[in-house]
Amino acid sequence: RARLDVWSFNLRTEFQEEADGPNGWSLRRSGVAELIRARRPALVCCQEATEAMLAYLGGELAAEGYQWVGSSRRPGEKDETAGM
C-alpha cells in the first residue's frame, strides 16, 4: 500500500515580522525548509504564505524536487497566498 503524506502548514505571514519578534519569518524560514527536507512530504499546502516566502522555500528545496504553485488574492502585489 502506497503512502501519500500531505501537510497543511500555516507559515504565519512575513508581514508580521516585527510584531512576531523571535518568531518572525526571517528567523524561522531555514528551520521550516529543514523540516520539510527531513520529513519529505509529497505535498505541502501553505496558509498565510506570501509569494516571496514560497519562492524562498522553493529555492531552498529545489534540489529535493520541490516547487510551488499558487496565486495570491491580488497577483503581483504583496499579499498572502494559499500555495502548494
Side-chain angles (χ1 to χ4, degrees), residues 2-82:
R3 179 179 167 147
L4 177 67
D5 287 326
V6 177
W7 286 9
S8 177
F9 208 152
N10 188 319
L11 294 178
R12 176 74 173 158
T13 184
E14 65 184 329
F15 298 142
Q16 297 298 319
E17 181 77 16
E18 190 174 315
D20 286 348
N23 295 314
W25 173 246
S26 66
L27 301 174
R28 291 183 293 112
R29 66 187 195 167
S30 63
V32 170
E34 196 54 43
L35 178 63
I36 294 169
R37 185 179 289 114
R39 298 289 178 97
R40 301 194 52 78
L43 178 64
V44 180
C45 304
C46 299
Q47 300 92 37
E48 290 193 53
T50 64
E51 291 180 1
M53 292 168 75
L54 295 174
Y56 170 83
L57 290 174
E60 287 293 307
L61 299 166
E64 286 79 14
Y66 285 100
Q67 51 187 300
W68 71 273
V69 62
S71 179
S72 74
R73 295 175 285 203
R74 296 177 298 189
E77 296 183 30
K78 289 188 174 189
D79 195 10
E80 293 175 9
T81 184

